[in-house]
Amino acid sequence: SQQLIARKPSMVLQHRAGEKLFIDFAGKKLSYADPDTGEVVSCQVFVACLPHSDYSFAMAVRSQNISDFLYALGCCLQELGGVPQVLVPDNLKSAIVKANRYEPDVNRALEDFANHYHTTVIPARVRKPKDKALVENQVKLVYSRVFAKLRNQQFFDLASLNKAIKEKIREHNQTRMQQKLYCREERFLADEKHLLQSLPDQPFELKYYRELKVAKNNHIYL
């Protein structure tokens, strides 16, 4: 009885079809070998999922900077064939590293991206593990169904690595879910894809902002 009193109540979160897309980077990296130098190039892995259907997307990019992040997010929306109402990133302030002082601000760039795609951004709440549980679970599945299956394969460029990731993610989305009569892809196609907003006609272009100050010689450096 004491254990029952101490236990916190919990509810199952219900997610509406086509409403949200959870996005994050995996903690582990994949890599390819440069055929000219033999150097092993480590890559970050972007992961996203629609919580209603649990439909997943993943791809490798060279870094977690804002340009690579938004490129991966754009590829994700193209693969989905539409845009959800809300993008839910997990702690992008610490996840996306600014390469230098000329790197665009993550919040402003992501806002520009959301405006271009006619969606909005609502970050996962701090210290609210259920907000990010779905995408974190997807990251674990990506480890077992993508990372583990590719560990003995060698790649020589980013394109071939991403081709292999795409094949494994497709297999993951087509695998029957536990205690369900359908797979992620079937539920996405039946319940969600037609509810996504249309993609814009033009691709997103990242804008670079800079606040300039007048120097002592009364000039501004551009």
Side-chain angles (χ1 to χ4, degrees):
S1 61
Q2 291 180 350
Q3 290 181 346
L4 291 175
I5 294 174
R7 184 177 299 171
K8 294 182 179 180
S10 178
M11 293 180 63
V12 176
L13 295 177
Q14 300 295 329
H15 297 284
R16 290 184 293 177
E19 181 185 25
K20 296 178 181 178
L21 178 71
F22 285 80
I23 50 182
D24 199 4
F25 280 103
K28 299 178 182 179
K29 299 179 182 180
L30 290 174
S31 63
Y32 65 90
D34 188 310
D36 297 324
T37 64
E39 177 190 3
V40 176
V41 181
S42 296
C43 299
Q44 303 286 340
V45 179
F46 171 89
V47 179
C49 75
L50 293 165
H52 177 78
S53 61
D54 212 31
Y55 190 77
S56 306
F57 173 87
M59 73 175 294
V61 288
R62 287 185 173 85
S63 72
Q64 288 191 17
N65 67 32
I66 188 64
S67 57
D68 283 337
F69 164 68
L70 293 182
Y71 171 73
L73 182 54
C75 290
C76 175
L77 298 181
Q78 289 289 335
E79 183 70 21
L80 296 177
V83 185
Q85 298 173 30
V86 181
L87 303 175
V88 186
D90 178 18
N91 196 22
L92 288 179
K93 271 287 188 180
S94 61
I96 297 177
V97 179
K98 288 187 177 182
N100 54 55
R101 63 178 181 169
Y102 298 103
E103 188 73 15
D105 178 72
V106 58
N107 291 331
R108 191 165 187 175
L110 191 53
E111 182 181 359
D112 287 344
F113 182 94
N115 290 336
H116 180 79
Y117 281 91
H118 302 290
T119 184
T120 189
V121 179
I122 302 178
R125 294 171 297 175
V126 178
R127 297 188 181 91
K128 295 292 182 180
K130 279 198 171 185
D131 281 13
K132 52 189 90 171
L134 279 168
V135 71
E136 289 180 350
N137 184 58
Q138 284 300 324
V139 170
K140 293 178 182 178
L141 290 172
V142 167
Y143 288 154
S144 62
R145 296 184 178 179
V146 178
F147 281 63
K149 293 183 178 181
L150 298 181
R151 65 174 177 267
N152 295 324
Q153 297 185 39
Q154 191 170 15
F155 304 95
F156 296 100
D157 54 46
L158 188 59
S160 59
L161 173 59
N162 273 321
K163 182 180 178 181
I165 292 174
K166 187 174 181 178
E167 291 174 355
K168 297 305 177 186
I169 286 292
R170 183 175 64 249
E171 293 174 3
H172 164 62
N173 284 325
Q174 293 176 347
T175 300
R176 284 283 185 272
M177 302 173 71
Q178 291 185 357
Q179 301 178 354
K180 306 288 185 183
L181 298 176
Y182 50 80
C183 66
R184 292 170 176 83
E185 184 179 84
E186 290 171 338
R187 191 170 194 196
F188 166 67
L189 294 175
D191 294 351
E192 288 206 274
K193 187 166 185 178
H194 66 283
L195 295 176
L196 297 177
Q197 304 172 83
S198 299
L199 292 165
D201 295 330
Q202 300 296 325
F204 173 75
E205 293 185 7
L206 181 60
K207 297 178 182 178
Y208 290 80
Y209 299 93
R210 181 78 172 150
E211 292 185 2
L212 303 173
K213 295 182 179 180
V214 179
K216 291 182 179 180
N217 61 2
N218 298 321
H219 287 70
I220 296 176
Y221 176 76
L222 298 179

